[in-house]
């Protein structure tokens, strides 16, 4: 039986046991509803770290930051609902100055706002922009997965992430967090190689002992550049191309400060308001980078946008979201439900719930899907190494290219079940040998054991 079905069965058992507790049944029914929704991904971090910017980059749309928790979910048409002390209120979503605004009007006290927005980016995930006052407990309770933004690793960041894993279930399955080094251009001191430097810092953090147990991956993102790239306007490209046409030294002299860039003594005819708009959208670093890229041959809007998205780190962030969050939706939903069920069992202990407690502990202890995700992260971040081609094969088998059997086997053609069974059986035999291979160290043999279990799961699924 799959992890999802086990957890659904446990929730239904708990509903029977707690049928005389309105609070518990409401909480449990909410978890059943969550199973049918896309994965909820919260973007969290300290004040002015760039949460709304990263949200906008993922959406491919510029929204003005809202009040309280702002949820963005896929919808047939643009609309928003504000949850106020007087109850839910529908509020308009309007476009002004190239940005989308949720018009809150008289509603100052808002617990959360749900924005329905028709976009492909929200088909597999609901994105939650969190307020700076939100605690770790509030964020992780609302979401199935979290993008935690920081500049450099500080004690406050460690405490936040550690608080999210206080619960024994959360501690045993730390699979729902990706750390994002936000404002990567600023971390790299605004140099033209700033993004490359920050990506190297991210790679170091992936191997750091304090960070490893708390997240699946660490990626670097220049959010401002990512948003500007995904929402680039034709007139902006024209202005950037005009700047790129200037001699390099002459342009660099005017990129020493924001005042010089928007000042009156400028070597090309360009209204100061246009330069100010470029500065607000791209920043000094972004203007410098776009001019460099255009000179290097990325001289059409399509080429430039593609290159900026790649260099901004947005592509790597979206890959991490796909691998660790949306592809593993069922696992993350099950984890959220187990945490919620644990809350009920601790808050309202009952003799009749003892079997549920034991079943919950058994599920947590034997959840192979969680071990797969941890191994996948360890392999891809370099925390676990396997010799030669074994590493690539192990990553693929545990779902690095997708969780379907075809993807796990690395097949580029449609194989029938008989051939798939043969291929899986061959893999299983080879990886059982690796799990007992005395040449490998203990960590490597433990990784091989997880791969063996994945092969056994595939074989069982094929009948």
């Amino acid at each position: 039986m799959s992890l999802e079905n086990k957890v659904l069965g446990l929730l239904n058992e708990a509903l029977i046991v707690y049928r005389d507790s309105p609070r518990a049944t409401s909480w449990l029914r909410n978890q059943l509803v969550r199973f049918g929704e896309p994965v909820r991904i919260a973007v969290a971090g300290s004040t002015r770290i760039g949460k709304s910017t990263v949200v906008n980059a993922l959406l491919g749309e510029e929204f003005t930051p809202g009040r309280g928790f702002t949820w963005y979910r896929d919808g047939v048409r643009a609309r928003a609902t504000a949850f106020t002390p007087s109850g839910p209120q529908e509020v308009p979503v309007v476009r002004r100055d190239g940005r989308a605004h949720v018009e809150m009007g008289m509603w100052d006290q808002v617990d959360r706002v749900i924005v329905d927005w028709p976009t492909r980016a929200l088909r597999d995930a609901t994105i939650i922009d969190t307020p700076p006052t939100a605690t770790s407990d509030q964020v992780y309770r609302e979401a199935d997965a979290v993008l935690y933004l920081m500049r450099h690793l500080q004690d406050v960041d460690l405490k936040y992430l550690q608080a999210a894993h206080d619960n024994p279930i959360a501690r045993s399955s730390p699979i729902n967090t990706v750390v994002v080094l936000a404002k990567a251009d600023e971390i790299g001191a605004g140099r033209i190689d700033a993004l490359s430097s920050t990506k190297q810092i991210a790679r170091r953090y992936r191997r750091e002992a304090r960070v490893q147990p708390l997240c699946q991956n660490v990626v670097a993102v220049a959010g401002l550049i990512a948003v500007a790239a995904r929402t680039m306007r034709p007139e902006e490209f024209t202005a950037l191309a005009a700047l790129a046409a200037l001699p390099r030294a002459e342009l660099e002299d005017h990129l020493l400060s924001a005042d010089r860039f928007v000042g009156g003594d400028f070597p090309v005819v360009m209204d100061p308001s246009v330069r100010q708009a470029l500065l607000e959208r791209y920043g000094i670093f972004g203007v410098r980078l776009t001019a460099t890229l255009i000179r290097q041959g990325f001289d059409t809007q399509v080429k430039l946008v593609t290159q900026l998205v790649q260099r901004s780190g947005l592509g790597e962030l979206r890959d991490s979201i796909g691998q660790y969050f949306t592809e593993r939706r069922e696992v993350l939903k099950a984890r959220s439900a187990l945490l919620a069920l644990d809350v009920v069992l601790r808050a309202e202990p009952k003799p009749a719930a003892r079997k549920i407690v034991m079943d919950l502990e058994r599920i947590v202890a034997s959840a192979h899907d969680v071990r797969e995700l941890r191994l996948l992260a360890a392999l891809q971040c370099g925390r676990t190494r396997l010799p030669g081609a074994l590493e690539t094969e192990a990553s693929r088998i545990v779902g690095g290219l997708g969780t379907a059997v075809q993807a796990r086997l690395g097949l580029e053609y449609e194989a029938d079940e008989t051939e798939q069974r043969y291929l899986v059986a061959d893999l299983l035999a080879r990886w059982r040998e690796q799990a007992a291979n005395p040449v490998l160290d203990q960590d490597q043999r433990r990784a091989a054991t997880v791969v063996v279990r994945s092969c056994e799961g595939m074989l069982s699924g094929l009948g």
Side-chain angles (χ1 to χ4, degrees):
M1 187 186 295
S2 70
L3 175 62
E4 181 181 15
N5 287 333
K6 288 178 184 177
V7 175
L8 284 171
L10 210 56
L11 286 174
N12 284 310
E13 280 185 52
L15 277 170
I16 295 171
V17 172
Y18 286 93
R19 59 186 177 275
D20 58 346
S21 171
R23 183 179 178 186
T25 53
S26 174
W27 182 255
L28 294 167
R29 285 197 182 103
N30 181 51
Q31 298 308 312
L32 287 171
V33 171
R34 280 179 70 164
F35 261 103
E37 298 175 349
V39 65
R40 299 178 182 179
I41 303 173
V43 181
S46 60
T47 305
R48 303 186 68 80
I49 192 64
K51 296 186 293 293
S52 296
T53 304
V54 169
V55 168
N56 288 342
L58 292 171
L59 296 178
E61 183 65 61
E62 282 194 285
F63 274 89
T64 53
R67 300 169 190 165
F69 286 84
T70 305
W71 296 41
Y72 297 94
R73 65 186 187 186
D74 190 26
V76 177
R77 63 182 179 87
R79 52 173 292 190
T81 304
F83 289 79
T84 74
S86 302
Q89 308 289 333
E90 188 160 346
V91 292
V93 181
V94 299
R95 184 173 292 282
R96 189 167 60 249
D97 301 325
R99 298 174 68 93
H101 299 259
V102 178
E103 298 287 347
M104 297 303 299
M106 61 181 281
W107 304 110
D108 292 323
Q109 293 184 323
V110 176
D111 175 55
R112 61 175 169 158
V113 177
I114 295 182
V115 179
D116 293 322
W117 191 256
T119 174
R120 290 179 60 188
L122 293 172
R123 287 180 188 170
D124 296 321
T126 294
I127 307 295
I128 305 173
D129 193 355
T130 64
T133 55
T135 65
S136 177
D137 180 62
Q138 288 174 313
V139 171
Y140 279 84
R141 189 171 63 243
E142 292 279 1
D144 301 308
V146 173
L147 301 175
Y148 181 75
L149 276 54
M150 66 183 192
R151 286 187 176 85
H152 288 288
L153 184 64
Q154 307 288 343
D155 285 343
V156 66
D157 301 309
L158 276 175
K159 288 176 181 175
Y160 187 100
L161 294 171
Q162 287 165 350
H165 297 88
D166 278 347
N167 183 286
I169 295 174
R171 197 157 50 246
S172 69
S173 56
I175 57 171
N176 68 331
T177 302
V178 166
V179 169
V180 180
L181 298 186
K183 301 191 176 183
D185 49 330
E186 294 181 12
I187 294 173
R191 302 185 309 271
I192 197 65
D193 65 344
L195 300 181
S196 298
S197 300
T198 310
K199 288 176 182 180
Q200 289 176 3
I201 295 171
R203 283 193 286 273
R204 287 205 303 271
Y205 278 141
R206 289 171 196 161
R207 296 175 176 84
E208 188 165 324
R210 295 178 300 169
V211 177
Q212 286 182 27
L214 301 173
C215 68
Q216 287 289 84
N217 199 8
V218 183
V219 298
V221 174
L224 197 65
I225 294 171
V227 174
R230 293 205 66 198
T231 60
M232 185 180 288
R233 302 153 193 161
E235 61 271 20
E236 285 180 343
F237 176 76
T238 300
L240 291 166
L243 295 176
L246 289 170
R248 187 190 307 270
E250 194 170 3
L251 178 59
E252 281 297 322
D253 185 52
H254 286 81
L255 289 174
L256 293 174
S257 71
D259 288 340
R260 284 187 64 81
F261 185 67
V262 299
D265 182 25
F266 202 72
V268 67
V269 178
M270 185 178 294
D271 193 275
S273 63
V274 174
R275 283 176 273 145
Q276 181 64 45
L278 289 177
L279 200 60
E280 291 172 359
R281 291 257 294 153
Y282 293 81
I284 287 285
F285 173 81
V287 172
R288 180 182 289 121
L289 177 62
T290 53
T292 301
L293 291 173
I294 291 171
R295 293 191 195 108
Q296 289 176 352
F298 302 100
D299 51 3
T300 68
Q301 185 169 332
V302 172
K303 289 181 182 177
L304 182 61
V305 165
T306 303
Q307 191 64 203
L308 285 175
V309 168
Q310 176 187 332
R311 290 185 179 239
S312 70
L314 180 61
E316 187 178 358
L317 176 59
R318 288 194 293 200
D319 287 345
S320 285
I321 290 171
Q323 281 189 336
Y324 300 123
F325 296 164
T326 55
E327 279 278 333
R328 303 295 180 135
R329 171 191 164 281
E330 291 82 5
V331 182
L332 293 172
K333 291 289 183 183
R335 181 184 186 275
S336 295
L338 289 173
L339 284 165
L341 180 56
D342 185 64
V343 169
V344 172
L345 294 171
R346 289 173 184 272
E348 300 183 29
K350 287 187 174 190
R354 285 176 186 166
K355 178 182 178 297
I356 297 174
V357 172
M358 289 189 292
D359 287 345
L360 185 149
E361 291 173 351
R362 193 177 299 114
I363 289 172
V364 171
S366 63
H368 173 68
D369 307 76
V370 172
R371 287 195 284 273
E372 264 196 346
L373 270 172
R374 287 302 286 168
L375 177 58
L376 178 61
L379 290 169
Q380 295 187 337
C381 296
R383 299 194 291 261
T384 295
R385 293 289 188 190
L386 291 170
L390 288 177
E391 190 167 309
T392 302
E393 186 174 72
S395 179
R396 190 190 73 233
I397 291 170
V398 298
L401 300 179
T403 55
V405 174
Q406 293 272 131
R408 290 178 187 263
L409 292 175
L411 297 177
E412 296 181 356
Y413 60 92
E414 288 292 331
D416 61 30
E417 283 198 7
T418 301
E419 183 178 358
Q420 289 182 24
R421 278 196 298 272
Y422 174 82
L423 293 170
V424 174
D426 179 61
L427 284 175
L428 178 58
R430 289 196 290 109
W431 278 97
R432 279 177 173 162
E433 290 178 7
Q434 296 301 328
N437 187 348
V439 176
L440 301 182
D441 63 31
Q442 186 178 5
D443 184 51
Q444 291 172 323
R445 289 197 300 273
R446 200 160 36 232
T449 301
V450 175
V451 178
V452 166
R453 178 67 190 87
S454 295
C455 292
E456 289 172 344
M458 281 192 284
L459 204 55
S460 173
L462 289 169

